[in-house]
């Protein structure tokens, strides 16, 4: 889509929340020549108003993410935005029955791409989206009205930053915060602000940048800042950045990384600006990431891209080295993978929780036999012996696995013991289906 770019500085917008939507009304007029700082929603809550205002100006200039607006429900799925799948990943079971509607917070919702999925994939949930940028929120409202028009009574969009989270009513069962914390002036304070709004037993999904996998990006960020004399002129910066990449020789490491990894998504100016011209960014490695987590007051559940953190992906089938690696602590093992394959670790995505969060490993046969199973909603291609898993990776199902899945999905099916008795799949095979994310379990209540 075409990015929203204020040309001769029309009146900036302040959002005013009303039930189920935001309305936008003009603030005092400011010309571009004056270069007055934007005013964040609640300046008194910001650790650094100047930084947050500049970040807001970036996203008012280039609303993000710049995904196309659709006149239909969001296409496909992201299992991290589907609460039953995310909760099952964190605990081993589907969420227990609730007496009140599920409450979801999309912290830093931007133009509403994630918000639309959170609404669509979680029927009945109350979804609140907050963002620093009024320009992005205006697009988010349009996106939701076009994509999920019948669900707008369940949505609330507010012009607030993470540091305003204390003003939100109540606590949330599921908080989504993707690509936001690392752009704040105080990431730890940002995570703690979200922690305060997370209900006990709730889950928080966070995505932050990784330093080693973005090494070339950070160098280009510094280069463009030098060429712009430290000024944050975003439209000029996009033009300048594209000219710099074009001028670099083909063998240049920064240009090769851009062409090999990022060029396709960076055809959009908003994505290019977000990557190379951001006025505030903190990148992490494994030690600094867990320092942040340890100080947050929350508990680490796990990375939501576990394939990245499989040592065998990096070291292959060398049993001796893999055995040495598997003897490391969990965090040291993560650090080893980051060191050996930095290009694969461009970001960290992970779940945190506020205890208590009961977890099920299904090692006990009797407990597993009494459980009930359902097919994951984040699976495509069923019924077939080849399905796409929650990460859109093809999975080959054996005849026994398919037979078992047919047994649990038929009317009156679902109980593990009954399905095992009717098919050739044993309990270890059932555990493997759960591990693959094909099937979700509920314990006997």
């Amino acid at each position: 889509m075409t990015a929203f770019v204020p040309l001769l500085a029309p009146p900036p917008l302040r959002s005013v929340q009303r039930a189920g939507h935001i309305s936008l009304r003009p603030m005092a007029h400011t010309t571009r020549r004056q270069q007055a700082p934007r005013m964040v929603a609640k300046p008194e809550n910001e650790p650094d108003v100047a930084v947050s205002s500049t970040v807001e100006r970036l996203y008012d200039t280039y609303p993000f993410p710049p995904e196309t607006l659709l006149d239909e429900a969001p296409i496909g799925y992201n299992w991290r935005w589907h609460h039953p799948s995310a909760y099952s990943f964190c605990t081993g079971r589907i969420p227990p029955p609730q007496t009140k509607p599920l409450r979801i917070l999309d912290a830093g919702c931007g133009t509403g791409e994630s918000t639309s999925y959170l609404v669509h994939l979680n029927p009945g949930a109350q979804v609140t989206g907050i963002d620093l940028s009024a320009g992005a929120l205006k697009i988010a409202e349009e996106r939701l009205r076009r994509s999920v028009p019948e669900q707008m009574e369940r949505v609330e969009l507010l012009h607030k930053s993470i540091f305003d989270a204390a003003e939100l009513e109540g606590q949330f069962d599921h908080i989504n915060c993707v690509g936001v914390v690392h752009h704040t002036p105080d990431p730890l304070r940002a995570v703690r602000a979200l922690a305060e709004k997370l209900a006990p037993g709730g889950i928080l999904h966070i995505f932050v940048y990784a330093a080693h996998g973005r090494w070339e990006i950070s160098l280009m960020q510094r280069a463009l800042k030098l060429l712009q004399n430290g000024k944050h002129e975003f439209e000029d910066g996009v033009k300048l950045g594209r000219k710099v990449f074009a001028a670099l020789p083909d063998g240049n490491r920064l240009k090769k990384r851009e062409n090999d990894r990022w060029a396709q998504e960076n055809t959009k100016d908003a994505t290019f600006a977000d990557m190379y011209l951001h006025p505030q960014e903190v990148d992490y490695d494994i030690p600094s990431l867990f320092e942040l987590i340890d100080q947050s007051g929350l508990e680490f559940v796990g990375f939501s891209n576990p394939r990245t953190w499989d040592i065998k992906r990096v070291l292959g089938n060398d049993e001796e080295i893999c055995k040495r690696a598997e003897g490391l602590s969990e965090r040291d093992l993560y650090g080893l993978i980051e060191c050996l394959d930095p290009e694969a670790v461009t970001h960290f995505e992970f779940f945190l929780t506020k205890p208590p969060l009961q977890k099920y490993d299904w090692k006990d046969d009797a407990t597993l036999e009494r459980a009930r199973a359902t097919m994951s909603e984040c699976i495509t291609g069923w019924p077939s012996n080849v399905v796409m898993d929650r990460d859109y990776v093809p999975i080959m199902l054996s005849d026994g696995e398919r037979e078992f899945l047919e047994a649990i999905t038929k009317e009156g099916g679902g109980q593990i013991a009954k399905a095992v008795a009717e098919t050739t799949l044993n309990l270890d095979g059932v555990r493997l289906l759960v591990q693959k994310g094909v099937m979700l379990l509920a314990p006997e209540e």
Side-chain angles (χ1 to χ4, degrees):
M1 74 174 199
T2 302
F4 170 75
V5 182
L7 297 176
L8 296 177
L13 298 171
R14 183 187 296 279
S15 64
V16 180
Q17 182 268 323
R18 294 188 183 149
H21 72 284
I22 60 169
S23 61
L24 299 168
R25 66 187 183 196
M27 290 164 45
H29 184 83
T30 303
T31 65
R32 183 175 290 274
R33 278 195 299 269
Q34 289 174 302
Q35 288 292 308
R38 302 285 300 191
M39 181 54 69
V40 294
K42 292 282 187 176
E44 64 271 20
N45 293 337
E46 296 295 326
D48 190 322
V49 174
V51 169
S52 295
S53 295
T54 308
V55 172
E56 181 181 25
R57 182 164 60 83
L58 168 65
Y59 290 127
D60 281 353
T61 305
Y62 290 113
F64 192 87
E67 304 303 327
T68 303
L69 301 182
L70 302 175
D71 292 309
E72 59 180 334
I75 298 171
Y77 54 82
N78 181 327
W79 68 267
R80 300 155 188 84
W81 298 334
H82 178 243
H83 183 69
S85 294
Y87 190 88
S88 180
F89 176 84
C90 293
T91 66
R93 62 156 295 171
I94 62 173
Q98 289 189 288
T99 58
K100 297 180 179 180
L102 180 75
R103 299 196 72 218
I104 299 175
L105 173 63
D106 198 6
C109 64
T111 61
E113 175 76 358
S114 53
T115 319
S116 65
Y117 277 93
L118 289 165
V119 173
H120 175 63
L121 295 175
N122 299 284
Q126 298 293 322
V127 180
T128 299
I130 63 173
D131 200 83
L132 190 67
S133 166
L137 281 171
K138 187 174 183 180
I139 294 172
E141 183 185 28
E142 182 184 359
R143 183 188 305 281
L144 290 163
R145 289 197 178 282
R146 291 172 59 174
S147 182
V148 288
E150 304 301 321
Q151 308 300 324
M152 286 301 293
E153 72 279 359
R154 299 194 286 114
V155 185
E156 184 177 48
L157 296 177
L158 304 174
H159 184 205
K160 294 181 181 292
S161 82
I162 285 181
F163 302 110
D164 304 326
E167 300 176 2
L168 299 174
E169 181 180 349
Q171 292 182 308
F172 296 86
D173 307 293
H174 185 142
I175 299 178
N176 179 65
C177 188
V178 172
V180 179
V181 168
H182 51 239
H183 289 320
T184 67
D186 190 338
L188 176 58
R189 181 172 162 184
V191 177
R192 285 176 172 171
L194 296 178
E196 288 295 319
K197 304 308 294 182
L198 186 65
I203 56 175
L204 165 59
H205 188 240
I206 291 181
F207 173 117
V208 294
Y209 290 148
H212 301 310
R214 290 173 60 87
W215 181 81
E216 294 88 353
I217 292 173
S218 65
L219 289 180
M220 181 57 75
Q221 288 172 340
R222 288 162 57 188
L224 293 178
K225 189 172 292 186
L226 289 169
L227 288 170
Q228 287 195 301
N229 294 315
K231 296 178 181 178
H232 298 294
E233 296 176 349
F234 302 118
E235 293 164 278
D236 172 72
V238 169
K239 296 175 185 176
L240 177 63
R242 295 197 186 285
K243 289 187 69 175
V244 170
F245 273 119
L248 291 172
D250 290 342
N252 178 273
R253 179 169 173 174
L254 275 63
K255 185 171 185 175
K256 287 180 64 178
R257 181 63 165 164
E258 165 67 13
N259 289 339
D260 294 345
R261 178 64 175 83
W262 308 111
Q264 184 173 355
E265 59 191 89
N266 282 341
T267 56
K268 297 181 178 181
D269 287 350
T271 309
F272 188 96
D274 182 71
M275 180 171 291
Y276 291 115
L277 300 170
H278 210 289
Q280 173 66 19
E281 182 175 308
V282 178
D283 298 337
Y284 292 88
D285 59 11
I286 285 293
S288 59
L289 176 71
F290 279 98
E291 182 179 351
L292 175 74
I293 293 170
D294 290 342
Q295 295 179 34
S296 71
L298 298 176
E299 179 182 291
F300 178 74
V301 177
F303 287 115
S304 58
N305 55 343
R307 284 186 174 94
T308 298
W309 303 102
D310 181 358
I311 190 63
K312 292 182 180 178
R313 178 190 65 81
V314 181
L315 294 175
N317 296 318
D318 191 307
E319 294 184 5
E320 180 186 351
I321 303 177
C322 285
K323 187 174 181 180
R324 287 192 182 208
E326 289 167 357
L328 298 173
S329 68
E330 180 181 61
R331 294 185 183 186
D332 283 345
L333 180 59
Y334 294 149
L336 176 65
I337 293 169
E338 179 184 43
C339 289
L340 295 177
D341 194 13
E343 287 191 357
V345 185
T346 60
H347 68 272
F348 299 106
E349 54 177 271
F350 53 94
F351 283 101
L352 304 178
T353 188
K354 180 183 289 185
L357 184 70
Q358 186 176 7
K359 300 177 183 179
Y360 290 76
D361 59 19
W362 305 108
K363 291 181 180 179
D364 180 71
D365 286 353
T367 302
L368 179 57
E369 286 176 338
R370 292 193 297 270
R372 297 192 66 82
T374 59
M375 282 283 291
S376 169
E377 295 179 55
C378 296
I379 294 292
T380 56
W382 175 258
S384 169
N385 280 78
V386 182
V387 297
M388 304 291 280
D389 73 3
R390 62 193 176 198
D391 293 315
Y392 292 95
V393 175
I395 294 178
M396 295 290 297
L397 298 175
S398 68
D399 290 339
E401 289 174 325
R402 177 170 177 169
E403 183 184 26
F404 181 87
L405 291 172
E406 289 172 342
I408 66 163
T409 53
K410 70 181 181 182
E411 186 175 353
Q415 186 180 40
I416 297 294
K418 182 180 179 182
V420 167
E422 294 175 350
T423 64
T424 60
L425 198 69
N426 61 24
L427 291 178
D428 285 338
V430 172
R431 292 184 179 99
L432 186 58
L433 284 175
V434 174
Q435 181 182 336
K436 291 177 179 179
V438 175
M439 196 169 64
L440 309 181
L441 297 180
E444 182 183 52
E445 300 293 349

